[in-house]
Amino acid sequence: MSDDYIDINRQAWNRKLESHLESEFYNLKDFMAGASSLNAIELDLFGDINAKSLLHLQCHFGQDTLSLARMGAKTTGVDLSDAAIAAAQNLNEELGLNSQFIACDLYSLEEHLDEQFDRVFSSYGTIGWLPDLDRWAQLIARYLKPGGEFIFAEFHPVLWMYDSQFQKIEYSYFNRERIEEIESGTYANKEANIEYKTISWNHDLAEVISALLKAGLKLELFQEFDYSPYACFANLVEVEKGKFQIKGLEGKMPMVYALKMSKA
């Protein structure tokens, strides 16, 4: 499989960064003043993480990583975007935290990190950038200590079947081909004056869970939610504070799923 997607997607995320740091979506001002970037969906799965070691995969510029550090975890964040990791390191220093950050393609993580963790975490818009979930799951198992837990929250694959306006089914539910797109703006700032190419893949639920089971993990909890905690799609309505659904499809389709898996 060609690795051209790595450089293409790194460039895309590097281009998005400035608008994300300035956006109301990420609300960096309140975050720096102490607000958490985490949602109830994932917080309910974590429980007490004080003094626990935690690896955060595909962490963007580190808000969730640093929010978890504020909760007492010893955190390490990893992301493809070198620009995002540089921003994460700056935030870590400004906040006086001790999180570590690594800039690398996820599949090359073993070249940069050799330890195990009490928790591995990944969330929201992450696995679509990865072509091979078996390799992803194997890395998660490799980095978990015995008895450790993988916490995962992700947008439901049903969402990725639709066109950007949720007017028609455009893509397969199943992982049948890589999806190449030219995009403008960003989910955090749709008016941002940037354009970039992306390469992604759809991953159905069976593919995700089967990969993790094959890697030797045990499913402890699986949940589906009829809302998104983020207003990052088109044609959304806020049905409750912090809960967004697609206009015309309110309550009729899953938008997020979450799971907890453990390592024996």
Side-chain angles (χ1 to χ4, degrees), residues 239-257:
V239 295
E240 294 179 36
K241 183 173 176 57
K243 295 185 178 182
F244 301 90
Q245 296 178 338
I246 299 163
K247 187 175 183 179
L249 295 172
E250 296 95 322
K252 294 180 179 177
M253 63 183 291
M255 295 189 69
V256 166
Y257 69 97

Side-chain angles (χ1 to χ4, degrees), residues 154-204:
E154 179 60 282
F155 294 117
H156 202 286
V158 166
L159 290 179
W160 307 127
M161 298 168 62
Y162 284 83
D163 71 308
S164 61
Q165 299 299 310
F166 293 97
Q167 300 299 310
K168 62 180 180 178
I169 301 292
E170 189 166 329
Y171 303 101
S172 172
Y173 175 76
F174 302 99
N175 181 9
R176 291 191 169 141
E177 59 185 0
R178 77 183 205 169
I179 300 165
E180 299 189 19
E181 297 176 294
I182 302 295
E183 301 182 46
S184 59
T186 154
Y187 59 85
N189 179 4
K190 295 178 175 59
E191 306 305 316
N193 186 26
I194 54 174
E195 187 173 276
Y196 47 88
K197 181 178 180 179
T198 62
I199 298 175
S200 61
W201 292 262
N202 286 347
H203 299 292
D204 63 83

Side-chain angles (χ1 to χ4, degrees), residues 10 43 56 191 242 260:
R10 179 185 291 112
L43 285 171
H56 183 191
E191 306 305 316
K260 178 191 289 188

